[in-house]
Every structure is written in structure tokens, then in C-alpha cells.
Amino acid sequence: MTRLERVVLCVEDDAFVRMFVADALTDAGFRVLEASSAAEALSTLADRSDVQALVTDVDMPPGMNGFLLARHVREQWPRMPIVVLSGRYSPSPGDLPPGSVFLEKPVVDARLVGEVTRALDHMGAIG
């Protein structure tokens, strides 16, 4: 499967940061969908069967934060790779679902792309 066939959902409430993350992934060849809240992300995931990975920020007022979103997504879509980003918060034990990746912002494009690629490759290898 080529990267262009891999669909990543980027969840970030800050439009500028969301654009930065989406552009980095698009430039690397991924198809990127965008959501500005956890509620919008969950709606997208419920409506589309082609989303293969989630990249989410932690701090997304109002409502569900990125840690809660990541855990909810893992419950509903257990094989979905999840990358969580934050420049403010570090995960405490239990914040992240098993197998997810945490990256501190600001994150270098190559690191972000590498982690998303690695997570997708790993999921493809086991299933």
C-alpha cells in the first residue's frame, strides 16, 4: 500500500497548527482529513471506513481532550494507530492507550512522518 492510499485523520483545534501537521503528512504522500475537535473526529471516523491512523493534539477545548479521544478511538477501532501531540502536557500513566505514540511539540516533520509511517507499517505487519 502506498502512502497516498493511507488516510490519516489530523485532529487539532488550532487551524495554523492543524495546517502545519496536515501539510507535513500530505507532503510525505499521505491523504489527510482534518478535524478541529474530538467530536468532529469521532463523526468522521464513524462516517468513513478508510481512515487508517489518528494524529491528535491533547488540548482541544471544549469537550474531550486528545488523551480521552485516543482512548475512545482505541476502544472503538482497536487496530487504529494513534499519535498524540502536545506542547503543554506530557502523558501520565494511563493517559495513552497501549501501542500509541506521544510526541512533544514542536515536532520535526520527519519525526512526525516517521512515527505515523512506523505505526501504519506495524499495524499492516500484524494484521
Side-chain angles (χ1 to χ4, degrees):
M1 177 178 295
T2 67
R3 283 188 182 167
L4 197 52
E5 295 168 339
R6 292 176 163 184
V7 179
V8 178
L9 177 59
C10 172
V11 189
E12 168 66 63
D13 65 315
D14 182 304
F16 178 75
V17 176
R18 188 172 62 246
M19 181 181 67
F20 169 80
V21 172
D23 285 351
L25 293 168
T26 300
D27 289 348
F30 294 100
R31 284 188 30 215
V32 179
L33 304 176
E34 299 180 33
S36 61
S37 68
E40 186 180 350
L42 291 172
S43 177
T44 298
L45 289 168
D47 291 344
R48 298 186 62 134
S49 62
D50 60 340
V51 178
Q52 297 166 313
L54 174 74
V55 175
T56 184
D57 183 36
V58 171
D59 191 20
M60 294 185 299
M64 187 182 291
N65 70 30
F67 292 137
L68 293 172
L69 174 62
R71 291 196 310 268
H72 184 79
V73 167
R74 180 53 45 86
E75 289 173 10
Q76 295 297 311
W77 297 274
R79 295 185 33 76
M80 172 114 19
I82 300 169
V83 176
V84 178
L85 309 170
S86 183
R88 285 188 176 158
Y89 304 101
S90 294
S92 296
D95 280 343
L96 295 174
S100 59
V101 174
F102 178 79
L103 298 176
E104 188 174 327
K105 290 182 193 172
V107 62
V108 177
D109 290 4
R111 175 95 193 274
L112 173 64
V113 169
E115 291 297 340
V116 171
T117 300
R118 195 170 3 273
L120 283 163
D121 288 348
H122 176 73
M123 291 311 291
I126 63 172

